Amino acid sequence: MTPDKIPFSQQAISVLWPSFLTAIVATGIFFSAFNPLDLAPFNLDIDISPLAAYSIGFFIFWMLATVSSLGTLYFTVSNCRFLSKQGQ
Amino acid sequence: MATSQENNGEQVLYAAHKKIYPREVSGYFTRLRVLSLVTLLGIYYVTPLLQWEGRQAILFDLPARKFYLFGLTLWPQDFIYLAALLILAGLALFFFTALLGRIWCGYACPQTVWTEAYLWMERKIEGKRTQRMKLDKAPTTAKKIRTKVLKHTVWIAFSLWTGFTFVAYFTPVDELANKLLSLSLGPWETFWILFYSFATYGNAGFMREQVCMYMCPYARFQGAMFDSDTLIVAYQPERGEPRGSRRRGVAPTSVGLGDCIDCSVCVQVCPTGIDIRDGLQYECIACSACIDACDEIMDKMSYPRGLIRYTTENSVLGKAQRVLRPRIMVYAAILLLLCGLLVAHISQRVALDLDVIRDRNTLYRETRDGLIENVYTLKILNMDSQSHRYKLWAEGIDGLKLASDQTEIVVEAGSVYQIVVRLQADELNLEARSVPVSFYLQAEDSNHLSTVEEARFVGPGETR
């Protein structure tokens, strides 16, 4: 059984779920250190509520962690395909 | 099933999902479990409603960046406590896993708690196990649609209540309820209520045991914390085998069988759909449903209870059982030490913070009296629940003087006060170009509320 035979839904969960947990931790640490109201990203003058700032921060972390998990999954799966081709 | 013999563990692990219809069960452990689940659900839904000194007792006030925990107000600076608390929770999980096995999974995990709640609703609406199976297999009729619509409506209502309660930990519950009733919820509050509701609905209504099997990291590594004295749910094969059916009241030995009558009730009640008679499996969440189910059957057969029971590997092997073993004592010692440190640290916590920022534009200047002067901006953070008047002074250089245009320092509860001060010193007293100085801040009405902050005083230097 190689990772590329794992059903899509379970692959999706294995990417989205660990990155979700990581994003919660990252959001907690990041916003403990920085107040979103003190952070004006790229000198943009935007007026958003703290809850919106925390939420957007969370989704940015989730997205970044998702990209990382996706990379791991992609390399694992493609390595397995490559190795199994060589084996033939 | 011949091909499945060739399957390795992974293939079984990632098998296509078959819906599990856990059979209802009653008994001692089930009552214990229901008690635990109802208590935990109660704590979750009631906590945001509790009030303390005129505000919500437990509230993560995100806009104000404060965390209220009854009488205690925590600030982002106190993040260390939250981190310590999480480490403690992790260690506690290690300790209880080594001692009692997967007691967390069976009795306290939110996934279990909400799954059981949703299963309970499902039973009330769709009926017993066989009725539920029949209903799912039956062709679509008006009655089936009505039953399903009713179930999902009740599930969704409960999910929305759960989501609302979740957001009420971050937005005061009365404010949130008012906004909801006047349909003026903010977009993000609405989003998080729906997000959490959807997650609850999906996890407790549909994913259920799959969360434990595919998503839970703990389920995968808990085996590492087990030893031969850890409490497990196990079937006694030497007593049960060879299994086989027989009439009620027949003595096992007279028909050449063990005590297991192969009624498969233990399999039917299992929320993760495994057969406990196959031995310890990582899918087993130690919910003990099979223990109660088997005991009931043993009673009916007039056989002794405990064919499936809580036991330990050593006990099964007939070896001596040890509760206090090095692993347990090490976990307990670390746990107690950290608990003690945390409590001591919180009790010693000073609800006052001082931040000193040197003026960046000028290193120093000279006053009309010929003194060297440095300018600082001080940020005073009163983390206490009442306002205080503070004394401020500085030390570190002989004859050091502190001057400010603001004569009185009064800081309201939970707010930041900014003050610009000037330190003046005679150049002759400066031993170097840059000299350390200390700012002392002390509440006038409480000796406990005091803090010191270091800074540097810069002079010309080269003259000496």
Side-chain angles (χ1 to χ4, degrees), chain A residues 1-2 5-7 10 13-14 17 20-21 25 28-37 49-56 58-59 62, chain B residues 8 10-11 13-17 61-65 76-77 79 82 167 170-171 188-189 191-192 195 203 207 210-211 214-217:
Chain A
M1 181 77 180
T2 50
K5 302 230 174 62
I6 295 173
Q10 283 166 19
I13 283 172
S14 75
W17 177 239
F20 178 80
L21 297 179
V25 176
I29 294 173
F30 183 81
F31 286 118
S32 298
F34 303 103
N35 185 343
L37 299 183
S49 74
L51 186 61
Y54 291 117
S55 304
I56 292 165
F58 170 76
F59 281 108
W62 194 6
Chain B
N8 57 28
E10 280 169 303
Q11 252 161 323
L13 173 58
Y14 288 105
H17 175 236
D61 190 346
L62 289 181
R65 295 172 65 73
Q77 289 89 326
F79 181 74
L82 193 64
V167 175
F170 301 92
T171 305
W188 286 104
E189 282 155 347
F191 170 79
W192 285 114
F195 184 92
N203 282 347
M207 306 274 286
Q210 295 179 84
V211 173
Y214 304 118
M215 290 164 74
C216 180

Coordinates of all heavy atoms in Angstrom, one line a residue, chain A residues 1-2 5-7 10 13-14 17 20-21 25 28-37 49-56 58-59 62, chain B residues 8 10-11 13-17 61-65 76-77 79 82 167 170-171 188-189 191-192 195 203 207 210-211 214-217:
Chain A
M1 N 0.9 -1.2 0.0 CA 0.0 0.0 0.0 C 0.9 1.2 0.0 O 1.7 1.4 0.9 CB -0.9 0.0 1.3 CG -1.8 1.2 1.4 SD -3.2 0.9 0.3 CE -4.1 2.4 0.6
T2 N 0.7 2.0 -1.0 CA 1.5 3.3 -1.1 C 0.6 4.5 -0.9 O -0.6 4.4 -1.1 CB 2.2 3.4 -2.5 OG1 1.3 3.2 -3.5 CG2 3.3 2.3 -2.6
K5 N -2.3 5.5 -3.1 CA -3.6 4.7 -3.2 C -4.5 5.1 -2.1 O -5.6 4.6 -2.0 CB -3.3 3.2 -3.1 CG -2.3 2.7 -4.2 CD -2.8 1.5 -4.9 CE -1.9 1.1 -6.1 NZ -0.5 0.8 -5.6
I6 N -4.1 6.0 -1.2 CA -5.0 6.5 -0.2 C -6.1 7.3 -0.8 O -5.9 8.1 -1.7 CB -4.3 7.3 0.9 CG1 -3.2 6.4 1.6 CG2 -5.2 7.9 1.9 CD1 -2.3 7.1 2.5
P7 N -7.4 7.0 -0.4 CA -8.5 7.8 -1.1 C -8.3 9.3 -0.9 O -7.7 9.8 0.0 CB -9.7 7.4 -0.2 CG -9.4 6.1 0.4 CD -7.9 6.1 0.6
Q10 N -9.3 11.1 2.3 CA -8.3 11.0 3.4 C -7.0 11.7 3.1 O -6.4 12.2 4.1 CB -8.1 9.5 3.6 CG -9.2 8.9 4.4 CD -9.2 7.3 4.3 OE1 -8.2 6.7 4.1 NE2 -10.4 6.8 4.6
I13 N -7.9 15.3 4.1 CA -7.9 15.4 5.6 C -6.5 15.5 6.1 O -6.1 16.3 7.0 CB -8.7 14.3 6.2 CG1 -10.2 14.6 6.0 CG2 -8.4 14.2 7.7 CD1 -11.1 13.5 6.4
S14 N -5.6 14.6 5.5 CA -4.2 14.6 6.1 C -3.5 15.8 5.7 O -2.4 16.1 6.3 CB -3.5 13.3 5.5 OG -3.1 13.6 4.2
W17 N -6.2 19.0 8.0 CA -6.3 18.8 9.5 C -5.1 19.2 10.3 O -5.1 20.1 11.1 CB -6.9 17.5 9.8 CG -7.0 17.2 11.2 CD1 -6.4 16.2 11.9 CD2 -7.8 17.9 12.2 NE1 -6.8 16.2 13.2 CE2 -7.7 17.2 13.4 CE3 -8.7 19.0 12.1 CZ2 -8.3 17.7 14.6 CZ3 -9.3 19.4 13.3 CH2 -9.1 18.8 14.5
F20 N -4.5 22.8 10.0 CA -5.5 23.6 10.9 C -5.0 23.7 12.3 O -5.0 24.8 12.9 CB -6.9 22.8 10.8 CG -8.0 23.4 11.6 CD1 -8.7 24.5 11.2 CD2 -8.3 22.9 12.9 CE1 -9.7 25.0 11.9 CE2 -9.3 23.4 13.6 CZ -10.0 24.5 13.2
L21 N -4.5 22.5 12.9 CA -4.0 22.6 14.2 C -2.8 23.5 14.3 O -2.7 24.2 15.3 CB -3.7 21.1 14.7 CG -4.8 20.1 14.7 CD1 -4.3 18.8 15.2 CD2 -5.9 20.6 15.7
V25 N -2.1 27.1 16.7 CA -1.0 27.4 17.5 C -0.3 28.6 17.1 O 0.1 29.5 17.8 CB 0.0 26.2 17.6 CG1 1.2 26.5 18.4 CG2 -0.7 24.9 18.1
G28 N -2.2 31.7 17.9 CA -2.1 32.0 19.3 C -0.7 32.7 19.6 O -0.7 33.8 20.3
I29 N 0.3 32.2 19.1 CA 1.7 32.7 19.4 C 1.8 34.1 18.8 O 2.2 35.1 19.4 CB 2.8 31.8 19.0 CG1 2.7 30.5 19.8 CG2 4.2 32.4 19.1 CD1 3.7 29.4 19.3
F30 N 1.5 34.2 17.5 CA 1.7 35.4 16.8 C 0.9 36.6 17.4 O 1.5 37.7 17.7 CB 1.2 35.2 15.3 CG 1.5 36.4 14.5 CD1 2.7 36.7 14.0 CD2 0.5 37.3 14.2 CE1 3.0 37.8 13.2 CE2 0.7 38.5 13.4 CZ 2.0 38.7 12.9
F31 N -0.4 36.4 17.7 CA -1.2 37.5 18.2 C -1.0 37.7 19.7 O -1.5 38.7 20.2 CB -2.7 37.3 17.8 CG -2.9 37.6 16.4 CD1 -3.4 36.6 15.5 CD2 -2.7 38.8 15.8 CE1 -3.6 36.8 14.2 CE2 -2.9 39.1 14.5 CZ -3.4 38.0 13.7
S32 N -0.3 36.8 20.4 CA 0.1 37.2 21.7 C 1.2 38.2 21.7 O 1.3 39.0 22.6 CB 0.5 35.9 22.5 OG -0.5 35.0 22.6
A33 N 2.0 38.0 20.7 CA 3.2 38.9 20.6 C 2.8 40.2 19.9 O 3.4 41.3 20.3 CB 4.3 38.2 19.8
F34 N 1.9 40.2 19.0 CA 1.6 41.4 18.2 C 0.1 41.7 18.3 O -0.7 40.9 18.1 CB 2.0 41.3 16.7 CG 3.5 40.9 16.5 CD1 3.8 39.6 16.2 CD2 4.4 41.9 16.7 CE1 5.2 39.3 16.1 CE2 5.8 41.6 16.5 CZ 6.1 40.3 16.2
N35 N -0.2 43.0 18.5 CA -1.5 43.4 18.5 C -1.9 43.8 17.1 O -1.2 44.6 16.4 CB -1.6 44.7 19.4 CG -3.1 45.2 19.5 OD1 -3.9 44.8 18.7 ND2 -3.3 46.0 20.5
P36 N -2.9 43.2 16.5 CA -3.3 43.4 15.1 C -3.5 44.9 14.8 O -3.2 45.4 13.7 CB -4.5 42.6 14.9 CG -5.1 42.3 16.2 CD -3.9 42.3 17.1
L37 N -3.9 45.7 15.8 CA -4.1 47.1 15.6 C -2.8 47.9 15.4 O -2.8 49.0 14.8 CB -5.0 47.7 16.7 CG -6.3 47.1 16.9 CD1 -7.1 47.8 18.0 CD2 -7.1 47.1 15.6
S49 N -12.0 45.4 12.0 CA -12.2 45.0 13.4 C -11.2 44.0 13.9 O -10.6 43.3 13.1 CB -13.6 44.5 13.6 OG -13.6 43.2 13.1
P50 N -10.9 44.0 15.2 CA -9.9 43.0 15.7 C -10.3 41.6 15.4 O -9.4 40.8 15.0 CB -9.9 43.2 17.2 CG -10.4 44.6 17.4 CD -11.4 44.9 16.3
L51 N -11.6 41.3 15.5 CA -12.0 39.9 15.2 C -11.7 39.5 13.7 O -11.2 38.4 13.5 CB -13.5 39.8 15.5 CG -14.0 38.3 15.4 CD1 -13.4 37.4 16.4 CD2 -15.5 38.3 15.6
A52 N -11.9 40.5 12.8 CA -11.6 40.3 11.4 C -10.1 40.1 11.2 O -9.7 39.2 10.5 CB -12.0 41.4 10.6
A53 N -9.3 40.9 12.0 CA -7.8 40.7 11.8 C -7.4 39.4 12.3 O -6.6 38.7 11.7 CB -7.1 41.9 12.6
Y54 N -7.9 38.9 13.5 CA -7.5 37.6 14.0 C -7.9 36.5 13.0 O -7.2 35.6 12.8 CB -8.2 37.4 15.4 CG -7.6 38.2 16.5 CD1 -8.4 39.2 17.2 CD2 -6.3 38.1 16.9 CE1 -7.9 39.9 18.2 CE2 -5.8 38.9 17.9 CZ -6.6 39.8 18.6 OH -6.1 40.6 19.6
S55 N -9.1 36.7 12.5 CA -9.7 35.6 11.6 C -8.8 35.5 10.4 O -8.4 34.4 9.9 CB -11.1 35.9 11.2 OG -11.9 36.1 12.4
I56 N -8.5 36.7 9.8 CA -7.7 36.7 8.5 C -6.3 36.2 8.8 O -5.8 35.3 8.1 CB -7.6 38.1 7.9 CG1 -9.0 38.5 7.4 CG2 -6.6 38.2 6.8 CD1 -9.2 40.0 7.2
F58 N -5.6 34.0 11.1 CA -5.7 32.5 11.2 C -5.7 31.9 9.8 O -5.1 30.9 9.6 CB -7.0 32.2 12.0 CG -7.4 30.8 11.9 CD1 -6.7 29.9 12.7 CD2 -8.4 30.3 11.1 CE1 -7.0 28.5 12.7 CE2 -8.7 29.0 11.1 CZ -8.0 28.1 11.9
F59 N -6.5 32.5 8.9 CA -6.6 31.8 7.6 C -5.3 31.9 6.8 O -5.0 31.0 6.0 CB -7.8 32.4 6.8 CG -9.1 31.9 7.2 CD1 -10.0 32.6 7.9 CD2 -9.4 30.6 6.9 CE1 -11.2 32.1 8.4 CE2 -10.6 30.0 7.3 CZ -11.5 30.7 8.1
W62 N -3.3 29.2 8.2 CA -3.8 27.9 7.7 C -3.4 27.6 6.3 O -3.0 26.5 5.9 CB -5.4 27.9 7.9 CG -6.0 26.5 7.8 CD1 -5.3 25.3 7.7 CD2 -7.4 26.2 7.7 NE1 -6.2 24.3 7.6 CE2 -7.5 24.8 7.6 CE3 -8.5 27.0 7.8 CZ2 -8.7 24.1 7.5 CZ3 -9.8 26.3 7.7 CH2 -9.8 24.9 7.6
Chain B
N8 N -2.4 -6.1 4.3 CA -1.7 -5.7 5.5 C -2.5 -4.6 6.3 O -3.6 -4.2 5.9 CB -0.3 -5.1 5.1 CG -0.4 -4.0 4.1 OD1 -1.4 -3.3 4.2 ND2 0.6 -3.8 3.3
E10 N -2.2 -1.5 6.7 CA -2.5 -0.2 6.1 C -3.8 -0.3 5.2 O -4.6 0.6 5.2 CB -1.4 0.3 5.2 CG -0.2 0.9 6.0 CD 1.0 1.1 5.1 OE1 1.5 0.1 4.6 OE2 1.4 2.2 5.0
Q11 N -3.9 -1.4 4.5 CA -5.1 -1.5 3.7 C -6.4 -1.5 4.5 O -7.4 -1.0 4.1 CB -5.0 -2.7 2.8 CG -4.7 -2.3 1.4 CD -4.1 -3.5 0.6 OE1 -3.4 -4.3 1.1 NE2 -4.5 -3.6 -0.7
L13 N -6.6 -0.2 7.4 CA -6.7 1.2 7.9 C -7.4 2.1 7.0 O -8.3 2.9 7.4 CB -5.3 1.7 8.3 CG -5.2 3.2 8.7 CD1 -6.1 3.4 10.0 CD2 -3.8 3.5 9.0
Y14 N -7.1 2.0 5.7 CA -7.7 3.0 4.7 C -8.8 2.3 3.9 O -9.0 2.6 2.8 CB -6.6 3.5 3.8 CG -5.7 4.5 4.6 CD1 -4.4 4.1 4.9 CD2 -6.2 5.7 4.9 CE1 -3.6 5.0 5.7 CE2 -5.4 6.6 5.6 CZ -4.1 6.3 6.0 OH -3.3 7.1 6.7
A15 N -9.5 1.4 4.6 CA -10.6 0.7 3.9 C -11.7 1.7 3.7 O -11.8 2.7 4.4 CB -11.1 -0.4 4.7
A16 N -12.5 1.4 2.7 CA -13.7 2.3 2.4 C -14.6 2.3 3.6 O -14.7 1.3 4.3 CB -14.4 1.8 1.2
H17 N -15.2 3.4 3.9 CA -15.9 3.6 5.1 C -17.3 2.8 5.0 O -18.0 3.0 4.0 CB -16.2 5.0 5.3 CG -17.1 5.3 6.5 ND1 -18.2 6.0 6.4 CD2 -17.0 4.8 7.8 CE1 -18.8 6.0 7.6 NE2 -18.1 5.3 8.4
D61 N -11.5 38.1 25.7 CA -11.9 39.3 25.0 C -10.8 39.7 24.0 O -9.8 40.3 24.3 CB -12.0 40.4 26.1 CG -12.6 41.7 25.5 OD1 -12.7 41.8 24.3 OD2 -13.0 42.5 26.3
L62 N -11.1 39.3 22.7 CA -10.0 39.5 21.7 C -9.8 41.0 21.4 O -8.7 41.4 21.3 CB -10.4 38.7 20.4 CG -10.3 37.2 20.5 CD1 -10.6 36.5 19.2 CD2 -8.9 36.8 21.0
P63 N -10.9 41.8 21.2 CA -10.6 43.2 20.9 C -9.8 43.9 21.9 O -8.8 44.6 21.6 CB -12.0 43.8 20.8 CG -12.9 42.7 20.5 CD -12.3 41.5 21.1
A64 N -10.0 43.6 23.2 CA -9.3 44.2 24.3 C -8.0 43.5 24.6 O -7.2 43.9 25.5 CB -10.2 44.3 25.5
R65 N -7.8 42.3 24.0 CA -6.7 41.5 24.2 C -6.5 41.1 25.7 O -5.4 41.3 26.3 CB -5.4 42.1 23.7 CG -5.4 42.3 22.2 CD -4.3 43.1 21.7 NE -3.0 42.5 21.9 CZ -2.5 41.5 21.2 NH1 -3.3 41.0 20.3 NH2 -1.3 41.0 21.4
P76 N -1.7 39.5 27.1 CA -0.8 38.8 26.1 C 0.6 38.5 26.8 O 1.2 37.5 26.5 CB -0.7 39.8 25.0 CG -1.9 40.6 25.0 CD -2.2 40.7 26.4
Q77 N 1.0 39.4 27.7 CA 2.3 39.1 28.4 C 2.3 37.8 29.2 O 3.3 37.3 29.5 CB 2.6 40.3 29.4 CG 3.0 41.6 28.7 CD 1.8 42.4 28.5 OE1 0.7 41.9 28.2 NE2 1.9 43.7 28.5
F79 N 1.1 35.1 28.2 CA 1.0 34.0 27.3 C 1.7 32.7 27.9 O 1.2 31.6 27.6 CB 1.6 34.4 26.0 CG 1.5 33.3 24.9 CD1 0.3 33.0 24.3 CD2 2.6 32.5 24.6 CE1 0.2 32.0 23.4 CE2 2.5 31.5 23.6 CZ 1.3 31.3 23.0
L82 N -0.5 30.3 29.5 CA -1.3 29.4 28.6 C -0.5 28.3 28.1 O -0.9 27.1 28.0 CB -1.9 30.3 27.5 CG -2.9 29.7 26.6 CD1 -4.2 29.4 27.4 CD2 -3.3 30.5 25.4
V167 N -18.6 30.9 20.1 CA -18.3 32.3 19.9 C -18.6 33.1 21.2 O -17.9 34.1 21.4 CB -19.1 32.8 18.7 CG1 -18.9 34.3 18.5 CG2 -18.7 32.1 17.4
F170 N -15.8 34.3 23.2 CA -14.9 35.4 22.7 C -15.7 36.7 22.7 O -15.0 37.7 22.7 CB -14.4 35.0 21.3 CG -13.6 33.7 21.3 CD1 -14.2 32.5 21.0 CD2 -12.2 33.8 21.6 CE1 -13.4 31.4 21.0 CE2 -11.5 32.6 21.6 CZ -12.1 31.4 21.3
T171 N -17.0 36.6 22.6 CA -17.8 37.8 22.6 C -18.8 37.7 23.8 O -19.4 36.6 23.8 CB -18.6 38.0 21.3 OG1 -17.7 37.9 20.2 CG2 -19.4 39.3 21.2
W188 N -17.8 38.3 10.8 CA -16.9 37.3 11.3 C -17.5 36.5 12.5 O -17.3 35.3 12.6 CB -15.6 37.9 11.8 CG -14.8 38.3 10.6 CD1 -14.6 39.5 10.1 CD2 -14.1 37.4 9.7 NE1 -13.8 39.5 9.0 CE2 -13.5 38.2 8.7 CE3 -13.9 36.0 9.7 CZ2 -12.8 37.6 7.7 CZ3 -13.2 35.4 8.6 CH2 -12.6 36.3 7.6
E189 N -18.4 37.1 13.3 CA -19.1 36.4 14.3 C -20.0 35.3 13.7 O -20.0 34.2 14.0 CB -19.9 37.3 15.2 CG -19.0 38.0 16.2 CD -19.5 39.3 16.7 OE1 -20.5 39.8 16.1 OE2 -19.0 39.8 17.7
F191 N -19.7 34.1 10.7 CA -18.8 33.1 10.1 C -18.4 32.0 11.1 O -18.5 30.8 10.8 CB -17.6 33.7 9.4 CG -16.6 32.7 9.0 CD1 -16.8 32.0 7.8 CD2 -15.5 32.4 9.7 CE1 -15.9 31.1 7.4 CE2 -14.6 31.4 9.3 CZ -14.8 30.8 8.2
W192 N -17.9 32.5 12.2 CA -17.4 31.5 13.2 C -18.5 30.6 13.8 O -18.3 29.5 14.1 CB -16.5 32.2 14.3 CG -15.2 32.6 13.8 CD1 -14.7 33.9 13.6 CD2 -14.1 31.8 13.3 NE1 -13.5 33.9 13.1 CE2 -13.1 32.6 12.9 CE3 -14.0 30.4 13.1 CZ2 -11.9 32.1 12.3 CZ3 -12.8 29.9 12.6 CH2 -11.8 30.7 12.2
F195 N -19.1 28.2 11.1 CA -17.9 27.3 10.9 C -17.9 26.2 12.0 O -17.8 25.0 11.7 CB -16.7 28.1 11.0 CG -15.4 27.4 10.7 CD1 -14.9 27.3 9.4 CD2 -14.7 26.8 11.7 CE1 -13.7 26.6 9.2 CE2 -13.5 26.1 11.5 CZ -13.0 26.0 10.2
N203 N -18.5 16.4 12.3 CA -17.7 15.5 13.1 C -18.6 14.5 13.9 O -18.3 13.3 14.0 CB -16.8 16.2 14.0 CG -15.6 16.8 13.3 OD1 -15.3 16.4 12.2 ND2 -14.9 17.7 14.0
M207 N -18.7 12.0 10.6 CA -17.3 11.5 10.6 C -17.2 10.5 11.8 O -16.6 9.4 11.6 CB -16.3 12.6 10.8 CG -16.5 13.7 9.8 SD -15.5 13.3 8.3 CE -13.9 13.6 8.9
Q210 N -14.4 7.9 12.4 CA -13.3 8.1 11.4 C -12.4 9.2 11.9 O -11.2 9.2 11.5 CB -14.0 8.5 10.1 CG -14.8 7.4 9.5 CD -15.4 7.9 8.2 OE1 -14.8 7.9 7.2 NE2 -16.6 8.4 8.3
V211 N -12.9 10.1 12.7 CA -12.0 11.2 13.3 C -11.0 10.5 14.1 O -9.8 10.8 14.0 CB -12.8 12.2 14.1 CG1 -11.9 13.1 14.8 CG2 -13.8 12.9 13.2
Y214 N -8.6 8.3 11.5 CA -7.8 9.0 10.5 C -7.2 10.3 10.9 O -6.3 10.8 10.3 CB -8.6 9.2 9.2 CG -9.2 7.9 8.7 CD1 -10.5 7.7 8.6 CD2 -8.3 6.8 8.3 CE1 -11.1 6.5 8.1 CE2 -8.8 5.6 7.9 CZ -10.2 5.5 7.7 OH -10.7 4.3 7.3
M215 N -7.9 11.0 11.9 CA -7.5 12.4 12.2 C -6.8 12.5 13.5 O -6.2 13.6 13.8 CB -8.7 13.3 12.1 CG -9.2 13.5 10.7 SD -10.8 14.2 10.7 CE -10.5 15.8 11.1
C216 N -7.0 11.6 14.4 CA -6.5 11.8 15.8 C -5.0 11.4 15.9 O -4.7 10.2 15.8 CB -7.4 11.1 16.8 SG -6.8 11.4 18.5
P217 N -4.1 12.3 16.2 CA -2.7 11.9 16.4 C -2.6 11.1 17.7 O -1.8 10.1 17.7 CB -2.0 13.2 16.5 CG -3.0 14.3 16.7 CD -4.3 13.8 16.3

